[in-house]
Amino acid sequence: MTTRFNPFKADGLWQKAWDDAGIFTAPAASDPRPKSYVLEMFPYPSGRIHMGHVRNYTMGDVLARYKAMTGHAVLHPMGWDSFGMPAENAAMEKKVHPGDWTRSNIAAMKKQLKRLGLAIDWSRELSTCEPDYYGQEQALFLDFYKSGLVYRKESSVNWDPVDMTVLANEQVIDGRGWRSGALVEKKKLNQWFLKITDFADELLDGLKSLDQWPDKVRLMQENWIGKSKGLNLSFNLVGTHDAIDVFTTRPDTLFGASFVAIAADHPLAAALAENAPRLKDFIEDCRRGGTTAAEIETAEKKGFNTGLSVEHPLDSSWHLPVYVANFVLMDYGTGAVFGCPAHDQRDLDFARKYRLPVRRVVADGDLTDLEFEGDTAYTGPGQIVNSHWLNGMSVDAAKAAIIARAEQDGFGEGQTQYRLRDWGVSRQRYWGTPIPIIHCDFCGVLPVPRSQLPVTLPEDVTFDQPGNPLDRHPTWKHVACPNCKEPARRETDTLDTFADSSWYFIRFASQPDDKPFDREEAEAWLPVGQYIGGIEHAILHLLYARFWTRALQRIGKIGITEPFAALFTQGMVTHETYKSQDGAWLSPEDVKIAGDAVTSLDGAPVIRGRIEKMSKSKKNVVDPDPMFDQYGADAVRWFMLSDSPPERDLEWSESGIEGTWRFVNRIWRLFDTLEDGQGADRSVDQLLHRAIAGMASDIEALTFNKAVAKVHELVNALEKAPASASRTTAIRTLARLISPMLPHLAEEGWACMGGAGLVATQAWPEHDPSLLVDDEVTIAVQVNGKLRDTLTVAKDLDKAGLEALALASDKIIHTLDGAAPKKVIVVPGRLVNIVA
RNA sequence: GCGGACGUGGCGAAACCGGUAGACGCAGCAGACUUAAAAUCUGCUUUCCCCUGGAAGUGCGGGUUCGAGUCCCGCCGUCCGCACCA
């Protein structure tokens, strides 16, 4: 008699068995087996896990379990990225302490993750909001400080005057604070920076070595770093001894210059504005615009003629007007440009508007006239024209020639610019790592002595008024100066939470009490063998982590350069969205779907929205707990791995999970009704060994959907196969094959079939290569490239034999209808194509 | 605007180096078992036609090739990233 698989019993039972046996505890770094460090991006403890987490962690889990079965020493840890704003928002809204809120979220999510049956070494669990983690981060910060990788500088920030806080760019919506709705101001504050720009070239070059990263991510980082080579040159201001420094990547177009433009924030603009109210108004106008993408896109090129002129560096009698222009950025290059309208679209727009000369200096094909027609700048390659001694050169040769001349004559020098800026890490917030610095009126800025680390956050804080609770805490910031012992103040800024996630993978590999990590132990595990996470971290997190690792290398703390050898970015889990007539979002639990009609539970019509990433705000989230209750962990895991390629989005569907539940039970029936068969069945042997080989390569390539299909094929065949020793072996082996993906079912089946020990600790089965090839193959016979017949032949039948057989086929004779073949192409083992 | 990815049945997809398009799954249809339902099992399921067969077919239009979903050129569409970066 057959039974149904009972996940409610099996899940807990086997999870406990794994825990008791301690099989997921990573071995010591000295373990001689090849190391495999599998890591998924650690979660922010928002409260509940969602299907996106489930998908992410299931993928990593399959790989970790597979690696263990293939003889690797596996490190597969989990932790919590637990500092950050949501905890402070919760504190304001719900009057709970950020620490309490965070820790209870962690407890709830950990419970949910455990239900998934993940092969995680929980003994290495870490949480970035705990002093044993952030204290070590402070030690690293001080190491960087001592090595000159940290500095403090006045910098302008988005300031919300109502909440009295600094806002990140993404928190500024249409120029207003996302929470308060107040108009955001630019404010100058002293802020801490990490010198990521010191590593700009290395971070760029290093991308080349990351051949197991998606090209897309490497390209995004390359663009983000934004290296460009050009010339820094000076334009002397007519009638003064001052000059305007300009950066250009097109020095070859210098003879096409018709104006110089400076940014509204340029010091010269500010100086001129003091005596020119209209210029002052214009500068104000520039500052206001340009906060949103839409505004920038539609922004008109606008300028203000300062009345000043500069000398052309190659001809001092040639004077160019100086404008303040809204499209020139202060924080790129020198904050000033020269305009060559014929060969730059922005400059052309500007020149047409202010009726400035447009001189062609690069030939567009046969077009060499000095006067440039039209409103589309020519930015392509060509020969230099109308440029005196540069004429006839290519663009590249002219660039080199001008740079050489500039350096020789002293009006400029070749330079490389980066879009990348230093990493501002100061946050005027409570729930983050305190920056371990003391400000003394007499001794200046001093690091907190090592013996006083960690600098812990005070517990008794309030969130009932705006501003940083650390700053207004009655006692916390008041300390004695470590140098002169006079009263001094703690730094009240905390570190950007991206700092926390920039080294957690090192702390996972090695977590001594007295230092951030042990070098030898960390190097034994690192770099991470496979890192898995969302594409949304393609730039910031991954770039900061790469920087942090290099910084540690530079100061001699670690010997690795790149933290993540292989990166995989998985797709999102999506779900249809629903809205009621009055525009409120409805959760999938609140709607009924009957065919095309969707109604709420009480029958009111519902508007069907787009399929979108699951998010709380749109209520299209599906909580995994009820799924575990109904189907068990394995059906949920299986669904997450099925159908959609892992890098693509996966649409959650109720019918999909039901299908996986049925399949789980079909496998169970194979295990449950297994009987000892007699005799070999070569076709079953072949199927099994093909599945073994195919699944191994699919799992290694993370194409889990294909591995799933192979399990389906094997199971379909085994259900139909007559009893034989081969079938019995195949079903026993199946338990090992599914163990990475369906670990609970595999254990239950393994035990039910009398297997010794835990299937999770078994070796991945070896495949016999001789069983992967057939003795007979089916080959296609085409006439003029169209399939007309298929033949089943011995696999090594030679060309002549194939040709003869093909030409003898009734169907082919019929198709040819007496015509003589002009040519016959034979690909042994594949096809015969007859050209008639 | 710049950069990138993608486009295959009703749906999710597969197709390795250019060699039998649609494996596998979902949904659907028909049947078996059942008093009935659930569960399970069997079969069918790209479209069209003059249906023991044949034709067309991988967003559209061209090209290379004995042969193109796959390579090349040009469009169209969708999605993503960056965004006045000199």
Side-chain angles (χ1 to χ4, degrees), chain A residues 442-474:
Chain A
F442 308 104
C443 308
V445 176
L446 297 162
V448 171
R450 300 280 168 153
S451 59
Q452 290 175 25
L453 294 183
V455 177
T456 54
L457 290 167
E459 286 290 314
D460 52 333
V461 283
T462 53
F463 294 89
D464 47 3
Q465 40 182 314
N468 181 355
L470 288 179
D471 203 31
R472 61 167 187 267
H473 190 279

Coordinates of all heavy atoms in Angstrom, one line a residue, chain A residues 442-474:
Chain A
F442 N 41.5 71.0 22.0 CA 43.0 71.3 22.1 C 43.8 70.4 21.2 O 44.8 70.9 20.6 CB 43.4 71.2 23.5 CG 42.6 72.0 24.5 CD1 41.6 71.4 25.3 CD2 42.7 73.4 24.5 CE1 40.8 72.1 26.1 CE2 41.8 74.1 25.4 CZ 40.9 73.5 26.2
C443 N 43.4 69.2 21.1 CA 44.3 68.2 20.4 C 43.7 67.9 19.0 O 44.4 67.1 18.2 CB 44.4 66.9 21.2 SG 45.0 67.2 22.9
G444 N 42.5 68.3 18.7 CA 42.0 68.1 17.4 C 41.3 66.7 17.3 O 40.6 66.3 18.2
V445 N 41.4 66.1 16.1 CA 40.6 64.9 15.8 C 41.5 63.7 16.2 O 42.6 63.6 15.7 CB 40.3 64.8 14.3 CG1 39.6 63.5 14.0 CG2 39.4 66.0 13.9
L446 N 41.0 62.9 17.1 CA 41.9 61.7 17.5 C 41.1 60.4 17.4 O 39.9 60.4 17.7 CB 42.2 62.0 19.0 CG 43.0 63.2 19.4 CD1 42.9 63.5 20.8 CD2 44.5 62.9 19.0
P447 N 41.8 59.3 17.1 CA 41.1 58.0 17.1 C 40.9 57.6 18.5 O 41.6 57.9 19.4 CB 42.1 57.1 16.4 CG 43.5 57.8 16.6 CD 43.2 59.3 16.7
V448 N 39.8 56.8 18.7 CA 39.6 56.2 20.1 C 40.7 55.2 20.3 O 41.0 54.4 19.4 CB 38.2 55.6 20.1 CG1 38.0 54.7 21.3 CG2 37.1 56.6 19.9
P449 N 41.3 55.2 21.5 CA 42.3 54.2 21.7 C 41.8 52.8 21.6 O 40.6 52.5 21.9 CB 42.7 54.5 23.2 CG 42.3 55.9 23.4 CD 41.1 56.1 22.6
R450 N 42.6 51.9 21.0 CA 42.2 50.5 20.8 C 41.6 49.8 22.0 O 40.7 49.1 21.9 CB 43.4 49.6 20.3 CG 44.0 50.1 19.1 CD 43.2 49.7 17.9 NE 43.7 50.4 16.7 CZ 43.6 49.9 15.5 NH1 43.0 48.7 15.3 NH2 44.0 50.6 14.5
S451 N 42.2 50.2 23.2 CA 41.7 49.5 24.4 C 40.3 49.9 24.8 O 39.7 49.3 25.5 CB 42.7 49.9 25.5 OG 42.7 51.3 25.7
Q452 N 39.8 51.0 24.2 CA 38.5 51.5 24.5 C 37.4 51.0 23.5 O 36.3 51.4 23.6 CB 38.5 53.0 24.6 CG 39.2 53.5 25.8 CD 39.3 55.0 25.8 OE1 38.5 55.7 25.2 NE2 40.3 55.5 26.5
L453 N 37.9 50.2 22.5 CA 36.9 49.6 21.6 C 36.2 48.4 22.2 O 36.8 47.7 23.0 CB 37.6 49.2 20.3 CG 38.2 50.3 19.4 CD1 38.7 49.7 18.1 CD2 37.2 51.4 19.1
P454 N 35.0 48.1 21.9 CA 34.2 48.9 21.0 C 33.5 50.1 21.6 O 33.3 50.1 22.8 CB 33.0 47.8 20.6 CG 32.9 47.0 21.8 CD 34.3 46.9 22.4
V455 N 33.3 51.1 20.8 CA 32.5 52.2 21.2 C 31.1 51.8 20.9 O 30.6 51.6 19.8 CB 32.8 53.5 20.3 CG1 31.9 54.6 20.7 CG2 34.2 53.9 20.4
T456 N 30.3 51.5 22.0 CA 29.0 50.9 21.8 C 27.9 52.0 21.8 O 28.2 53.1 22.3 CB 28.7 50.0 23.0 OG1 28.9 50.7 24.2 CG2 29.6 48.7 23.0
L457 N 26.8 51.7 21.2 CA 25.7 52.6 21.1 C 25.0 52.7 22.5 O 24.9 51.6 23.1 CB 24.7 52.1 20.1 CG 25.1 52.2 18.6 CD1 24.2 51.4 17.8 CD2 25.2 53.7 18.2
P458 N 24.6 53.9 22.9 CA 23.8 53.9 24.1 C 22.4 53.3 23.9 O 21.9 53.4 22.8 CB 23.7 55.4 24.4 CG 23.8 56.0 23.1 CD 24.7 55.2 22.3
E459 N 21.9 52.6 24.9 CA 20.6 52.0 24.8 C 19.5 53.0 25.0 O 18.4 52.9 24.4 CB 20.5 50.9 25.8 CG 21.3 49.6 25.5 CD 20.7 48.9 24.2 OE1 19.4 48.7 24.2 OE2 21.5 48.5 23.4
D460 N 19.7 53.9 25.9 CA 18.6 54.8 26.3 C 18.5 56.0 25.4 O 19.1 57.1 25.7 CB 18.8 55.3 27.8 CG 20.2 55.9 28.0 OD1 21.2 55.5 27.3 OD2 20.4 56.8 28.9
V461 N 17.9 55.8 24.3 CA 17.7 56.9 23.3 C 16.2 57.1 23.0 O 15.4 56.2 23.2 CB 18.5 56.6 22.0 CG1 20.0 56.8 22.2 CG2 18.2 55.2 21.5
T462 N 15.9 58.3 22.5 CA 14.5 58.5 22.2 C 14.4 59.0 20.7 O 15.4 59.5 20.2 CB 14.0 59.7 23.1 OG1 14.9 60.8 23.0 CG2 13.8 59.2 24.5
F463 N 13.3 58.7 20.2 CA 13.1 59.1 18.8 C 11.9 60.0 18.6 O 11.3 60.1 17.5 CB 12.9 57.8 17.9 CG 14.1 57.0 17.9 CD1 14.4 56.0 18.8 CD2 15.1 57.2 16.9 CE1 15.5 55.2 18.8 CE2 16.2 56.4 16.9 CZ 16.5 55.4 17.8
D464 N 11.6 60.7 19.7 CA 10.4 61.5 19.7 C 10.6 62.9 19.1 O 9.7 63.7 18.9 CB 9.7 61.6 21.1 CG 10.8 62.0 22.1 OD1 12.0 62.1 21.7 OD2 10.4 62.0 23.3
Q465 N 11.9 63.2 18.8 CA 12.2 64.5 18.2 C 13.1 64.3 17.0 O 13.9 63.3 17.0 CB 12.7 65.5 19.2 CG 13.7 64.9 20.1 CD 14.2 65.9 21.2 OE1 14.6 67.0 20.8 NE2 14.2 65.5 22.4
P466 N 13.1 65.2 16.1 CA 14.0 65.0 14.9 C 15.5 65.1 15.3 O 15.8 65.6 16.3 CB 13.6 66.1 14.0 CG 12.7 67.0 14.7 CD 12.3 66.4 16.0
G467 N 16.3 64.7 14.3 CA 17.7 64.8 14.6 C 18.3 63.5 15.0 O 17.7 62.5 15.2
N468 N 19.6 63.5 15.2 CA 20.4 62.3 15.6 C 20.4 62.1 17.1 O 20.9 62.9 17.9 CB 21.8 62.5 15.1 CG 22.7 61.3 15.4 OD1 22.2 60.3 16.0 ND2 23.9 61.3 14.9
P469 N 19.8 61.0 17.6 CA 19.7 60.7 19.0 C 21.1 60.7 19.7 O 21.2 61.0 20.9 CB 19.1 59.4 19.1 CG 18.4 59.2 17.8 CD 19.2 59.9 16.8
L470 N 22.1 60.3 18.9 CA 23.5 60.3 19.6 C 23.9 61.7 19.9 O 24.6 61.9 20.9 CB 24.5 59.6 18.6 CG 24.3 58.2 18.4 CD1 25.4 57.7 17.3 CD2 24.5 57.4 19.7
D471 N 23.6 62.6 19.0 CA 24.0 64.0 19.2 C 23.4 64.7 20.4 O 24.0 65.5 21.1 CB 23.7 64.8 17.9 CG 24.6 66.0 17.8 OD1 25.7 65.9 18.2 OD2 24.1 67.0 17.2
R472 N 22.1 64.3 20.7 CA 21.4 65.0 21.8 C 21.4 64.1 23.0 O 20.7 64.5 24.0 CB 20.0 65.4 21.3 CG 19.1 64.2 21.0 CD 17.7 64.6 20.8 NE 16.9 63.4 20.6 CZ 16.5 62.9 19.4 NH1 16.9 63.6 18.4 NH2 15.9 61.8 19.3
H473 N 22.0 63.0 23.0 CA 22.1 62.2 24.2 C 22.8 62.9 25.3 O 23.8 63.6 25.1 CB 22.8 60.9 23.9 CG 22.7 59.8 25.0 ND1 23.6 59.9 26.1 CD2 21.9 58.8 25.2 CE1 23.3 58.9 26.9 NE2 22.3 58.2 26.4
P474 N 22.3 62.9 26.6 CA 22.9 63.8 27.6 C 24.3 63.5 27.9 O 25.1 64.4 28.3 CB 22.0 63.5 28.8 CG 21.3 62.2 28.5 CD 21.1 62.1 27.0

